[in-house]
Amino acid sequence: MELRAVKGMNDILPDEAARWQRLEQAFREHVARYGYDEVRTPILEHTALFSRQIGETTDVVEKEMYSFARHGDELTVRPEGTAGAARAYVEHKVHTKEPVSRWSYLGPMFRGERPAKGRYRQFYQAGCELYGDAGPLADAEMIEMILSLLNQGLGIGNIEVRLNSLGAAGTRARYRDALVAYFTPMKDKLSEDSQRRLEKNPLRILDSKDPRDREASKGAPSILELLDEADAAHFAGVRRHLDALDVRYIVDPTLVRGLDYYTRTLFEFVTTSGDLGAQSTVVGGGRYDNMIEGLGGPSVPAIGFAMGIERLLTLMPGEVSRERPAVYVAPLSDACTSRALVLGRDLRARGVRVEVDGRGGRLKAMLRRADALGAKFCVILGDGELERGVASVKDLAGHKQDEVPLADAADVLAARARAEASLPPGEAR
Ligand code: ATP
Ligand code: MG
């Protein structure tokens, strides 16, 4: 039997990984300017963490989680990052150490969904969580941070920001009743899932991708009319700050998102480019002011977002090529191999990327290998060079060759590699 990768799980080979690294670096640098530091939590958590926080009647919990029992524990491979981070925040009593915490994370998530372009079973998210700030400034600042990361940091245009408010728990309950009243007369026009969830969690119908549910949702009541005074003031504050920041957004009163933990502000970043088909949402997030308390912690408000890295990579322009060796060392005989290794080590200690040819053979073959790798210089070490205490250095692009004393070779080559690296590509030497 031929063993292949698990369906919906992708290998990222080094040619592609260079683009991933560029995105990850842009993410880390960007959010660091807003005060976010990385947290790393386990990939496995107790199943109850997700089923309680994400919600028993969500698609993620009902159908998508990879859960199993082992050594007496019910475990789940994390489908998202927010619940685990919140669990860690409570477990380590982080609120006693600092009033406001800003955490970022980046890593694989797992959901047993039907694979499609931009939809995988192992996928990667980068996200941020902000704990301890209840005000609308936090919401607006986070939305602006995401938009400038996409636009300036990653060079992705054609992004639409969609915004809604779900209000606090009381509003949710009233909205639930309004939705049950609205959907009940058309119950048999809904998808099977939605019929089943109608009583328990009618908000899910608004988030359904089934065309029958989409059609039925068109005239659904707006939650914005049910917001109480404090919720409405918060939402107005978020919009006012976004206006001040010149962030354009669309208020979408039917935006509810797939996880149950959200309160108040909810947002989504969608590409209008058409490149991702039905998977056009690239970032999702919102407030979850009750989660920390729900996990047994103090009453600490929170807001966060997660972005789908594969989807953003599809939209990110520009090629990113792998780094090439600056120096290729070609030993021409067995006697020269040890000296070649020593030179390689000494160059690397000086910060240079080096490959030492271990396959041997004729000089011509080794020069071809150096060229194929895109090396800048090839150092040729033969018996004659060793006897004279020199190394031959071939400038592969400039087609020049000279000799340098072997004793100084590491310093000389490191200086040449540095000078080369500071030249724009293609510049004549
Ligand atoms: P969708 O509506 O596309 O299923 P979602 O509402 O389930 O997304 P979230 O749980 O909010 O998504 O996750 C945030 C982001 O993570 C999404 O906007 C998307 O970019 C990405 N994402 C979610 N699920 C997947 C997946 N299965 N494969 C790839 N990316 C995903
Ligand atoms: Mg989903």
Side-chain angles (χ1 to χ4, degrees), residues 28-307:
R28 291 198 170 100
E29 284 174 3
H30 191 80
V31 303
R33 290 184 211 132
Y34 291 75
Y36 287 85
D37 290 315
E38 187 180 7
V39 64
R40 298 190 187 199
T41 62
I43 305 273
L44 290 183
E45 296 276 358
H46 292 289
T47 298
L49 174 71
F50 300 117
S51 48
R52 281 191 216 140
Q53 297 310 316
I54 296 173
E56 296 280 3
T57 47
T58 57
D59 277 354
V60 173
V61 172
E62 275 188 349
K63 307 177 196 166
E64 299 172 1
M65 294 204 301
Y66 287 95
S67 302
F68 57 95
R70 187 62 43 90
H71 308 307
D73 289 318
E74 294 288 339
L75 302 173
T76 291
V77 195
R78 66 180 185 193
E80 56 100 63
T82 299
R87 194 244 340 114
Y89 180 88
V90 172
E91 188 166 332
H92 299 281
K93 299 188 170 54
V94 178
H95 71 284
T96 62
K97 297 165 199 156
E98 53 191 29
V100 172
S101 303
R102 291 185 172 84
W103 288 2
S104 71
Y105 64 86
L106 196 158
M109 306 296 162
F110 301 82
R111 296 184 193 175
E113 303 192 68
R114 191 211 297 245
K117 180 170 189 183
R119 189 175 299 287
Y120 309 105
R121 291 182 170 174
Q122 173 170 338
F123 62 100
Y124 288 74
Q125 285 185 336
C128 290
E129 315 290 349
L130 166 55
Y131 306 101
D133 190 342
L137 179 151
D139 311 29
E141 186 185 70
M142 181 170 278
I143 291 168
E144 184 281 320
M145 172 172 85
I146 300 165
L147 190 63
S148 51
L149 169 62
L150 300 191
N151 289 342
Q152 280 99 55
L154 304 177
I156 299 174
N158 299 320
I159 293 289
E160 212 166 77
V161 181
R162 301 186 160 269
L163 193 65
N164 192 20
S165 174
L166 291 184
T171 313
R172 288 279 290 269
R174 275 180 285 139
Y175 191 46
R176 189 199 147 274
D177 294 346
L179 286 178
V180 174
Y182 169 80
F183 282 118
T184 303
M186 52 178 111
K187 185 169 176 181
D188 45 349
K189 296 209 178 73
L190 299 174
S191 70
E192 293 70 27
D193 272 345
S194 291
Q195 294 192 23
R196 191 168 44 76
R197 289 168 179 166
L198 177 57
E199 289 293 327
K200 265 201 216 150
N201 197 349
L203 261 74
R204 294 274 61 84
I205 303 173
L206 299 179
D207 194 47
S208 164
K209 289 172 182 86
D210 190 294
R212 288 168 290 178
D213 299 332
R214 282 225 171 296
E215 185 58 34
S217 299
K218 276 185 181 154
S222 162
I223 193 163
L224 295 175
E225 278 145 35
L226 299 175
L227 294 185
D228 67 21
E229 222 173 292
D231 291 338
H234 182 93
F235 195 45
V238 175
R239 295 194 319 248
R240 196 174 63 246
H241 294 323
L242 287 175
D243 293 339
L245 289 164
D246 288 325
V247 172
R248 289 155 58 87
Y249 54 87
I250 295 167
V251 174
D252 176 359
T254 62
L255 177 66
V256 292
R257 308 207 38 72
L259 317 169
D260 275 350
Y261 50 61
Y262 291 117
T263 53
R264 289 196 162 166
T265 314
L266 202 62
F267 54 82
E268 219 169 59
F269 288 62
V270 179
T271 174
T272 55
S273 69
D275 293 345
L276 283 164
Q279 279 64 251
S280 58
T281 304
V282 290
V283 183
R287 265 198 180 277
Y288 49 99
D289 287 340
N290 303 324
M291 189 189 293
I292 298 298
E293 200 169 5
L295 286 168
S299 171
V300 171
I303 180 168
F305 72 89
M307 50 193 225

Side-chain angles (χ1 to χ4, degrees), residues 346-362:
D346 293 347
L347 277 167
R348 291 169 186 133
R350 287 162 174 76
V352 181
R353 183 167 174 137
V354 183
E355 292 199 24
V356 179
D357 189 301
R359 292 164 61 195
R362 294 154 54 86

Side-chain angles (χ1 to χ4, degrees), residues 324-374:
R324 304 180 176 290
V327 178
Y328 193 84
V329 186
L332 295 185
S333 73
D334 280 349
C336 307
T337 307
S338 295
R339 192 61 189 88
L341 272 174
V342 169
L343 177 59
R345 178 201 63 193
D346 293 347
L347 277 167
R348 291 169 186 133
R350 287 162 174 76
V352 181
R353 183 167 174 137
V354 183
E355 292 199 24
V356 179
D357 189 301
R359 292 164 61 195
R362 294 154 54 86
L363 174 61
K364 216 170 152 193
M366 285 193 263
L367 284 171
R368 242 198 323 268
R369 285 173 212 148
D371 251 338
L373 283 167

